[in-house]
């Protein structure tokens, strides 16, 4: 694969230099992919000047290439004595140990059982909190969140109290050249990964050991190291969000979607069979006011034959109701010579009295990505050329459309399985080429299927009310059996000196009842509302911060409204804050849902006791450890204060792991014995280094779970 990369790189550089020469000769702009980044929506951030400078730098890079390679060879000389030839890590995000163990005992996971018998099986302690971005960051770095700086999926801006993505910061471009209504950016936006500390694959690279890293969460923008990486969570869609589906319909306007969707009207101009709309793409920052780029959409319905012709971009696509299309390319034009391309899937959801069309979140096109989604930059293109188009969105499976009942169980399962197949092809292609080093791939399907089909696992789940004999009642077990088949195929390909790890970052449990902590704060006098406020407004817009001492943002965190830290803080740091934190902990520990007579919150954890490291100050003040069956409510997650503290969860998203982390450990299987009875996910990075003969770095807090002497003698 490395040889292929080198060849591709050489070709690309030649093409770039050739393009630069042609640009200079003709002094005319060529068609170029815009560089885009989300801000208040999505922005096209590139310019002809930036393009020219980029090409110039590419030429310089080509000239210094031999010297860089020489320096790298000198710098990467290693004296390590690896214990293994290849370390292969297969991650099944969210695979639950209780289900795994029962199925292993029942003989339903024969390859998991075989691996456990020949090596080891153990539950794997997750992180506080047991959330995907936090847990995988600890896997990657061998550190606690106080050192890697990822505490939740969301953080809050203390200046505005608004939520923001915890892992990635994308800057805006303020310097522009105004030419009438045109706005020409004069700089390139910055995209910054907020995860700190050093991934173990970077350390391996410093010792000249190659790694291939495929879709491990919190790798956007990708790390730069000796190896290849395809990014994952939190790569945005083309709108700059974490996944927004589009819904075109002739139905009368209804309520806005609560999560992840936009509704658009299909107009007919009196026709019964022809409908029109506009697909809104990213904001066009080349134009005054940043209007969205538009693509005209036409639908010709053939009711007699049960199909419709969907036309967009000059191409036509024949669709049958309730059948997902393959990937469809959408190209939005910003200005002459500048365009942005994404890929999506479409499905007619109805074509009788009303006509409705579902469009999945528009993924960044992997062949010519408009943002950096891989390392080297051409790795994503290499995969596309080899395997065809594939999902690039961080959370690629469209859970929101199923939650909002725009799609159904079958559509969601089709999407999820298709993405799993894409991932499987990437993984086995990489495994085939890896001769020495590490290969880490995370499969997301297990987590998504747990989330969306848990409602069928237990009698009386409110999200399954009224559903008789569901077709996907066994979806979770089916997914685990599919995982077992993957493990079996990997085991067949293991050779001398190879080590296999199979793991999950956390488990899963039921989500039957939601808890609105901000409503609880309001009821108990810790949070105040503005006069005449509408408490149904999202993102805490109704809150009077001069009357508020505590609030909840993110999925598990509570923040105190501290003077000097928050923009309108009223709680003094020090003794007053500590007293308030202890008071809240005392009231929230063991909080009972009186309606159900069940404990909803096991414990509120003081983060001063959990974290250590330079980024500890960015953590929430308290973490909430929910009991089985409970989780933050949908309203609380979107900053709505109104409503009751406890409510039934009736959405398809019916299983979760943002609970007390002690309730949802992950799993760990290896093709070798381990020397620790209670391994933690934080131990795996130092263990990986140890297997390659490298001493774990001092900042790592996990401890190797293998004994070098015993491992060498096996």
């Amino acid at each position: 694969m490395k040889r292929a990369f080198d060849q591709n790189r050489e070709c690309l550089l030649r093409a770039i230099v050739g393009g630069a020469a042609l640009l200079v000769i003709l002094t005319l702009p060529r068609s170029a992919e815009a560089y885009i980044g989300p801000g208040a929506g999505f922005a096209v951030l590139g310019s002809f000047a930036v393009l020219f400078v980029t090409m110039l730098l590419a030429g310089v890079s080509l000239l210094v290439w031999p010297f860089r390679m020489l320096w790298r060879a000198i710098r990467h000389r290693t004296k390590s004595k690896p214990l293994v030839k290849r370390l292969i890590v297969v991650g099944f995000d969210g695979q639950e140990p209780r289900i795994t163990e029962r199925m292993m005992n029942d003989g339903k996971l024969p390859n998991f059982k075989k691996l456990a018998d020949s090596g080891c099986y153990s539950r794997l302690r997750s992180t506080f909190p047991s959330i995907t971005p936090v847990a995988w960051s600890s896997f990657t770095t061998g550190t606690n969140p106080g050192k890697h700086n990822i505490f939740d999926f969301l953080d809050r801006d203390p200046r505005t109290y608004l939520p923001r993505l915890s892992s990635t910061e994308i800057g805006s471009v303020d310097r522009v050249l105004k030419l009438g209504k045109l706005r020409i950016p004069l700089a390139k936006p910055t995209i910054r990964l907020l995860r700190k500390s050093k991934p173990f694959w970077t350390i391996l690279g410093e010792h000249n050991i190659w790694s291939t890293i495929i879709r491990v969460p919190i790798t956007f923008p990708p790390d730069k190291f000796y190896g290849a990486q395809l990014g994952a969570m939190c790569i945005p869609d083309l709108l700059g969000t974490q996944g927004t589906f589009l819904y075109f319909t002739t139905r009368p306007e209804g309520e806005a979607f609560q999560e992840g969707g936009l509704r658009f009207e299909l107009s007919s101009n009196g026709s019964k069979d022809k409908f029109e709309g506009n697909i809104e793409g990213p904001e066009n920052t080349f134009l005054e006011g940043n209007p969205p780029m538009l693509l005209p959409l036409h639908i010709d319905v053939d009711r007699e034959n049960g199909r419709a012709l969907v036309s967009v971009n000059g191409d036509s696509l024949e669709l049958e109701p309730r059948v997902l299309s393959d990937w469809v390319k959408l190209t939005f034009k910003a200005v002459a010579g500048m365009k942005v391309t994404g890929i999506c899937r479409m499905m007619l959801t109805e074509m009788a009295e009303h006509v409705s069309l579902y469009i999945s979140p528009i993924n960044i096109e992997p062949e010519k990505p408009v943002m950096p989604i891989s390392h080297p930059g051409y790795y994503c293109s290499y995969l596309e050329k080899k395997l065809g188009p594939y999902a690039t969105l961080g959370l690629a499976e469209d859970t929101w459309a199923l939650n909002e009942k725009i799609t159904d169980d079958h559509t969601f399962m089709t999407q999820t399985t298709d993405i799993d197949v894409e991932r499987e092809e990437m993984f086995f292609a990489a495994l085939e080429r890896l001769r020495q080093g590490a290969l880490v791939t995370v499969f997301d399907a297990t987590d998504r299927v747990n989330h969306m089909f848990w409602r069928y696992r237990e009698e009386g789940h409110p999200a399954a009310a009224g559903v008789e004999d569901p077709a996907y009642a066994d979806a979770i077990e089916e997914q685990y059996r599919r995982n077992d088949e993957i493990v079996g195929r990997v085991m067949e390909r293991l050779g001398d000196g190879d080590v296999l790890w199979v793991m999950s970052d956390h488990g899963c449990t039921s989500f039957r009842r939601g808890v609105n902590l901000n409503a609880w704060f309001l009821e108990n006098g810790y949070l105040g509302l503005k006069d005449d406020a509408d408490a149904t407004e999202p993102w805490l817009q109704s809150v009077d911060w001069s009357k508020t001492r505590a609030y909840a943002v993110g999925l598990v965190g509570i923040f105190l409204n501290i003077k000097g830290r928050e923009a309108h803080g009223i709680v003094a740091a020090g003794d007053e804050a500590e007293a308030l934190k202890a008071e809240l902990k005392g009231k929230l520990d063991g909080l009972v849902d009186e309606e159900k007579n069940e404990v909803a919150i096991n414990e509120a954890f003081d983060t001063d006791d959990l974290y250590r490291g330079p980024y500890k100050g960015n953590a929430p003040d308290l973490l909430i450890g929910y009991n089985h069956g409970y989780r933050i409510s949908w309203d609380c997650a979107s900053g709505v204060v109104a409503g009751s503290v406890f409510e039934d969860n009736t959405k398809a998203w019916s299983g979760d792991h943002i609970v007390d982390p002690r309730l949802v450990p992950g799993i760990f299987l290896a093709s070798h014995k381990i020397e620790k009875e209670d391994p933690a996910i934080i131990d795996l990075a130092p263990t990986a280094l140890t297997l390659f003969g490298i001493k774990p770095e001092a900042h790592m807090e996990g401890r190797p779970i293998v004994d070098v002497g015993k491992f060498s003698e096996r």
Side-chain angles (χ1 to χ4, degrees):
M1 181 167 64
K2 185 173 183 300
R3 178 180 295 176
F5 284 169
D6 292 341
Q7 290 172 344
N8 284 341
R9 179 172 187 139
E10 186 177 348
C11 292
L12 283 169
L13 288 173
R14 285 175 178 171
I16 290 170
V17 173
L22 188 60
L23 178 71
V24 173
I25 292 170
L26 299 178
T27 62
L28 288 174
R30 287 177 60 80
S31 177
E33 303 302 326
Y35 194 85
I36 55 177
F42 207 68
V44 178
L45 297 169
S47 70
F48 299 124
V50 170
L51 183 65
F52 178 76
V53 171
T54 301
M55 291 179 171
L56 191 62
L57 290 175
V60 173
S61 177
L62 182 64
L63 292 175
V64 302
W65 175 259
F67 302 100
R68 289 179 59 197
M69 292 300 99
L70 178 61
W71 169 245
R72 185 172 171 175
I74 296 172
R75 185 166 165 257
H76 289 172
R77 282 187 303 178
T78 179
K79 296 180 180 178
S80 66
K81 296 180 179 178
L83 303 175
V84 299
K85 187 176 180 182
R86 300 190 300 179
L87 170 63
I88 301 150
V89 183
V90 178
F92 295 120
D93 192 292
Q95 181 149 341
E96 163 61 32
R98 291 170 297 168
I99 300 174
T100 302
E101 290 160 9
R102 178 177 54 75
M103 293 181 69
M104 286 171 64
N105 291 333
D106 292 345
K108 295 178 178 177
L109 302 178
N111 293 306
F112 274 69
K113 185 70 165 57
K114 184 178 178 181
L115 182 60
D117 289 345
S118 62
C120 72
Y121 168 83
S122 175
R123 294 189 177 193
L124 187 68
R125 277 185 289 130
S126 189
T127 48
F128 282 74
S130 45
I131 299 179
T132 294
V134 183
W136 285 109
S137 294
S138 286
F139 162 79
T140 298
T141 63
T143 64
N144 87 96
K147 287 188 177 179
H148 63 58
N149 194 41
I150 304 297
F151 299 95
D152 197 330
F153 189 78
L154 296 173
D155 187 12
R156 66 37 173 133
D157 185 341
R159 298 166 298 181
T160 63
Y161 299 90
L162 291 173
R164 61 187 179 188
L165 207 58
S166 66
S167 62
T168 306
E169 181 181 83
I170 301 180
S172 60
V173 173
D174 299 325
R175 294 175 55 228
V176 296
L177 175 64
K178 298 181 181 179
L179 297 173
K181 293 185 177 180
L182 280 177
R183 299 290 183 270
I184 309 299
L186 297 178
K188 187 177 177 181
T190 57
I191 304 179
R192 197 159 63 96
L193 178 64
L194 300 179
R195 186 204 70 217
K196 307 298 182 183
S197 201
K198 190 185 292 186
F200 72 81
W201 45 78
T202 298
I203 300 171
L204 291 178
E206 291 169 353
H207 292 76
N208 212 24
I209 297 171
W210 175 274
S211 299
T212 302
I213 310 299
I214 299 174
R215 296 289 285 183
V216 176
I218 313 303
T219 48
F220 171 72
D223 304 297
K224 298 186 186 304
F225 64 106
Y226 179 53
Q229 183 178 73
L230 181 65
M233 184 185 285
C234 296
I235 293 177
D237 62 16
L238 211 58
L239 302 184
T241 75
Q242 290 301 302
T244 298
F245 67 86
L246 311 179
Y247 181 60
F248 291 85
T249 183
T250 59
R251 289 183 174 276
E253 185 174 354
E255 293 184 359
F257 299 123
Q258 189 173 19
E259 296 104 15
L262 294 173
R263 186 191 303 267
F264 298 94
E265 179 186 5
L266 275 179
S267 61
S268 64
N269 293 323
S271 171
K272 294 181 179 178
D273 302 322
K274 295 183 182 298
F275 304 91
E276 294 179 346
N278 281 303
I279 300 175
E280 290 192 3
E283 292 178 355
N284 190 347
T285 55
F286 281 93
L287 297 180
E288 183 181 17
N290 301 339
M293 299 182 212
L294 300 177
L295 275 182
L297 170 73
H298 303 276
I299 303 177
D300 294 319
V301 174
D302 181 356
R303 289 186 176 82
E304 184 177 348
N305 293 300
R307 64 192 63 174
L309 199 64
V310 177
S311 301
V312 63
N313 257 147
D315 296 322
S316 295
L317 180 71
E318 191 172 271
L319 295 180
E320 297 179 21
R322 314 305 300 185
V323 178
L324 266 176
S325 73
D326 292 332
W327 289 109
V328 178
K329 184 179 292 189
L330 300 178
T331 300
F332 299 88
K333 293 181 180 177
V335 292
M338 303 295 288
K339 60 186 180 181
V340 178
T341 303
I343 56 173
C344 68
R345 300 183 74 177
M346 299 182 179
M347 184 178 74
L348 271 177
T349 60
E350 58 182 340
M351 52 177 289
E353 179 184 0
H354 288 284
V355 174
S356 300
L357 176 72
Y358 158 79
I359 298 180
S360 73
I362 306 172
N363 286 228
I364 292 172
E365 186 195 27
E367 184 183 7
K368 299 176 182 176
V370 291
M371 301 187 85
I373 63 172
S374 72
H375 168 78
Y378 50 81
Y379 183 52
C380 55
S381 307
Y382 163 81
L383 290 173
E384 201 275 344
K385 293 292 186 187
K386 185 177 183 64
L387 307 171
Y390 56 85
T392 59
L393 179 63
L395 292 163
E397 302 81 4
D398 193 357
T399 56
W400 303 134
L402 180 56
N403 249 10
E404 297 291 346
K405 300 181 179 177
I406 295 302
T407 59
D408 55 18
D409 289 353
H410 176 71
T411 303
F412 176 79
M413 202 63 210
T414 301
Q415 284 180 321
T416 302
T417 302
D418 289 350
I419 293 168
D420 216 33
V421 170
E422 292 172 0
R423 197 73 46 84
E424 193 176 332
E425 291 175 348
M426 292 176 191
F427 168 76
F428 281 105
L431 179 60
E432 188 71 24
R433 289 185 171 275
L434 184 69
R435 297 290 172 262
Q436 191 169 8
L439 168 60
V440 186
T441 300
V442 174
F443 293 82
D444 300 315
T446 314
D447 179 75
R448 310 304 188 262
V449 172
N450 282 341
H451 280 305
M452 307 311 287
F453 293 105
W454 197 277
R455 58 201 151 120
Y456 299 140
R457 284 183 49 80
E458 56 188 39
E459 189 175 346
H461 197 299
V467 180
E468 301 290 339
D469 194 22
Y472 288 90
D474 296 326
I476 293 177
E477 287 202 5
E478 288 294 331
Q479 183 61 46
Y480 284 42
R481 276 192 280 267
R482 176 175 166 72
N483 294 348
D484 186 75
E485 292 173 3
I486 293 173
V487 170
R489 290 178 60 196
V490 180
M491 292 174 69
E492 291 172 357
R493 289 162 172 76
L494 295 180
D496 291 340
D498 290 347
V499 160
L500 170 63
W501 291 354
V502 176
M503 60 172 291
S504 65
D505 53 332
H506 51 67
C508 191
T509 188
S510 178
F511 170 27
R512 293 190 302 273
R513 298 273 283 173
V515 183
N516 191 334
L517 288 171
N518 286 317
W520 185 88
F521 287 139
L522 180 64
E523 284 186 6
N524 289 273
Y526 295 102
L527 181 146
L529 297 178
K530 299 172 184 173
D531 294 338
D532 302 322
D534 177 4
T536 64
E537 283 188 310
W539 311 128
L540 301 176
Q541 295 301 298
S542 60
V543 172
D544 183 340
W545 297 106
S546 68
K547 303 175 184 175
T548 296
R549 291 186 288 160
Y551 61 103
V553 169
L555 301 180
V556 290
I558 291 176
F559 293 90
L560 307 185
N561 193 21
I562 293 182
K563 291 178 183 175
R565 189 182 72 177
E566 269 77 1
H568 307 289
I570 62 171
V571 179
D575 291 345
E576 184 180 344
E578 291 302 315
L580 176 59
K581 195 159 53 172
E583 180 180 317
L584 290 172
K585 178 174 170 54
K587 292 183 177 180
L588 290 171
D589 283 354
L591 184 70
V592 173
D593 175 2
E594 301 287 353
E595 182 181 336
K596 300 294 182 182
N597 193 29
E598 293 180 2
V599 172
I601 294 176
N602 288 345
E603 187 173 351
F605 300 99
D606 186 340
T607 56
D608 280 339
D609 299 331
L610 294 176
Y611 303 142
R612 55 215 164 271
Y615 306 103
K616 177 181 168 183
N618 296 333
D621 297 295
L622 290 168
L623 286 186
I624 299 302
Y626 294 99
N627 196 7
H628 288 296
Y630 288 84
R631 201 208 77 167
I632 183 174
S633 71
W634 295 106
D635 277 348
C636 192
S638 56
V640 172
V641 179
S644 58
V645 174
F646 298 101
E647 63 181 8
D648 279 344
N649 169 39
T650 58
K651 291 183 181 290
W653 186 297
S654 51
D656 219 310
H657 45 82
I658 49 176
V659 298
D660 183 339
R662 297 169 296 191
L663 302 179
V664 285
I667 61 168
F668 180 76
L669 300 95
S671 59
H672 58 82
K673 305 295 183 186
I674 61 174
E675 306 301 325
K676 195 170 182 178
E677 293 184 354
D678 185 26
I681 197 167
I682 201 172
D683 295 326
L684 299 183
T687 304
L689 296 180
T690 300
L691 291 178
F692 282 102
I694 299 167
K695 183 180 179 181
E697 298 205 346
H699 72 275
M700 291 184 164
E701 297 158 294
R703 292 293 175 262
I705 58 176
V706 295
D707 180 273
V708 173
K710 293 181 180 178
F711 190 92
S712 301
E713 295 171 358
R714 68 190 179 121

